[in-house]
Amino acid sequence: MRLLLLGVSHHTAPLAIRERLAVDDPVPVLGKLLEHEALDEAVLLSTCNRTEVLVLTRDLEAARRRLQRLFQVELPSAAGGISEGEIEEFVYELQDGEAMRHLLRVASALDSMVMGEPQILGQTKDAYRAAATCGASGPILDRLFQRAFSTAKRVRSETRLAERSTSVARVAARLAGQIFEDFSEKQALMVGAGEMIELALAALRDRGLERLAVANRSAERASALAVQYGGSAHGLDELPALLAEADMVLTCIALDRPVITSVLLWDALRGRRGRPLFVIDIGVPRNVDPAVDVIDEVYRYDLDDLAGMVDENVEERQREQARAEVIISEEQQNFDGWFVALRAVPTIKDVRARIEEIRSSELERSLGKLALDESQREGVEALTQAMVNKILHAPLTRLRREAEREEGLVYLEVARLLFGLDDEDPPGGGETR
Amino acid sequence: MVVSLYQIVAGLYLIASVAAAAGYSLSHQGLARVAVSTLVLGWGLHVLGFATLHTLDPAPPLTDPGVLLSFMACVGVGAFLLMLRRRRLLGLVAFVAPLAFISVFFGQLRFGAADASGVTSSGLLEHAHVLLASAGLALLALGSLAGELFLVEHGRLKRKRGPQLGGLLPSLEALDRASAAALLVGFSLLSLGVVSGGIWIQRFGSFSGSDGHELAFALFWMVYAGLVVQRFGARASARQCAIGSVAGFVLLMLGLLGSEWLS
């Protein structure tokens, strides 16, 4: 069994490419992937910063070809606007231990654009849940993802990396402070919701922001958010009027195209007498058309911009990151041992089957010669079963343990040789006296 | 005595400049506040110095560049301190204080060598014309400074360079409002200066059209009238207004220097 991961992320691809490869609903994609005979399990993670597919396979080469097809042909053609070969340079590939470590780092927000940000863990859980619901994940990936979640919890509780995400929100609030003099008289408009947006909103409120309007696709959801954040609720159809009133806009809504276009903003800004508009866009794909940057009064920042501005104590971050990496290594080692030990499973199964075959045939032959009643026969059956189990327990345990190390794989080979597991005419399989 | 007072004022403005520069570079609001306090003290003495200027023998004429420069600095600092009471403009002290120091320092150097043959300061109309126009120019200079800082900040924010270090510079909104207020009051004072100058010409001289100073001021007035319309009537963006205010003041300075050179 091999683990294979293919993906694009903010490390390798610009936002314009990432947003085109974003997958809203992973279930159909996973369904199609698992139709391929080489793929046993799969999970697809698609967030604002990455689209990655992790699969368990018995045929690495076939699995690689299938995933390459997904990234280079299927996803681009679904998104449109990208030619097939264009994606190739952005896609990375990781195998086995590297793939495993990568997942642990992703779930722990070590690979995030804003290191330590809180959203990625929830997004990873959602991806796993979607795969589990449609039966795409099996026992191996189940266990790997559970390990990833517990690792993420350790990183959050044992390091201070999570504090870093609040600095992005603080940067947003400080930027707003360089545009506006007094927040108490300003009107904020929140389009959609998300943890980063909430953090930014909290930071703005700390600086005196009071008036808030919430717009969302559904009126019910908008009302719930408005109650949660203490604002008025609106539908997306009211955006033009809301934009005309707003001084700050915070957007994070899942839509496949910008909800705030330059045309919409030009119209909205017409009656504002040159009042500035501060826009934070955390959505992926972006909710605000970058073309609005040409409008003098509009100051737009997306996640890339904000993360790039985080003024942090580099030394402290590196120290915390190093601590987190140690945790990742420990957890990876634990899982790796378990995963590698899985290689012993077929051999152990074969050994058990071979011994059981011998026990059954010998027992059958002996019982035919003995005149035993039913209870006596059951007694002998149990006796031989217990003997076999006792004899096999120590060597099989040792075999499993040794198989956790790369060097221990020789034990598997020896066991297969000694028991003739790969022979057509195995020892002990023939006539015995 | 008066010259010594001006030297003390220059010294206080210099201390304010150093404190403001340190506050700005160290992102230390406390130092910036020290700079403002020193500026307030210096300004109080500056006003006193200007009020007692006539006691100098010979008293320098109001048209003396040194006196004018010093007076404009006094008005500019006063206007800045007044704005500071209503707007969050603390960071502006790092620019106002050095300009005030330079103006007073070079202004007071000329007091001893003042040419008494310049425009006499005997008539109320001359006083009104020179003081109003100079005060107007000082405010327009302050508006231009705010506009310039607005453009720098606007460019930085548009290039997504991140928050400024320490965040001492005023917000775009504060700079825009300061620039608008300075333009409005400065233009009003300039208008009154132009009107009083016009009356003076009608009474005591003729407006021939060849006088560079008068022609230049008439043109400045028209340019600034256009800027007032742009800002308060045409709904131009804050950036366009800032460009207008900077360009207007540059034009004004070039015009003044040109007319002085021609005359």
Side-chain angles (χ1 to χ4, degrees), chain A residues 274-300:
Chain A
R275 264 167 51 217
L277 181 67
F278 177 57
V279 181
I280 302 177
D281 178 8
I282 313 275
V284 170
R286 280 176 286 212
N287 299 149
V288 183
D289 186 352
V292 305
D293 285 349
V294 298
I295 306 174
D296 272 350
E297 302 95 317
V298 177
Y299 302 90
R300 181 196 64 89

Side-chain angles (χ1 to χ4, degrees), chain A residues 111-161:
Chain A
D111 197 59
S112 294
M113 183 178 282
V114 181
M115 201 178 286
E117 53 96 0
Q119 270 169 297
I120 187 65
L121 181 58
Q123 289 164 331
T124 312
K125 283 182 177 173
D126 288 345
Y128 164 69
R129 217 169 286 136
T133 308
C134 69
S137 78
I140 312 289
L141 290 190
D142 281 352
R143 185 147 178 160
L144 178 56
F145 273 82
Q146 294 307 329
R147 176 70 64 178
F149 302 149
S150 61
T151 306
K153 277 183 193 157
R154 272 193 70 190
V155 169
R156 282 184 81 80
S157 60
E158 294 176 28
T159 72
R160 295 176 61 201
L161 277 176

Side-chain angles (χ1 to χ4, degrees), chain A residues 171 174-175 177-182 185-186 273-274 293 295-301 305 309, chain B residues 87-88 150 153-154 156-158 160-164 166 171-174 177 232 235 237 239-240:
Chain A
V171 166
R174 278 178 60 192
L175 283 168
Q178 278 165 33
I179 294 167
F180 302 112
E181 193 177 11
D182 182 6
E185 60 188 37
K186 300 300 172 212
R273 298 187 62 91
D293 285 349
I295 306 174
D296 272 350
E297 302 95 317
V298 177
Y299 302 90
R300 181 196 64 89
Y301 298 90
D305 302 325
M309 292 173 190
Chain B
R87 301 257 164 257
R88 293 175 187 168
F150 179 97
E153 271 295 281
H154 170 85
R156 210 177 48 76
L157 287 165
K158 276 287 193 184
K160 304 173 196 279
R161 289 284 165 84
Q164 41 163 285
S171 64
L172 289 182
E173 195 175 46
R177 285 175 178 174
F232 298 101
R235 297 180 178 182
S237 74
R239 189 182 72 92
Q240 289 166 333

Side-chain angles (χ1 to χ4, degrees), chain B residues 233-251:
Chain B
R235 297 180 178 182
S237 74
R239 189 182 72 92
Q240 289 166 333
C241 292
I243 291 172
S245 116
V246 173
F249 193 72
V250 169
L251 189 71

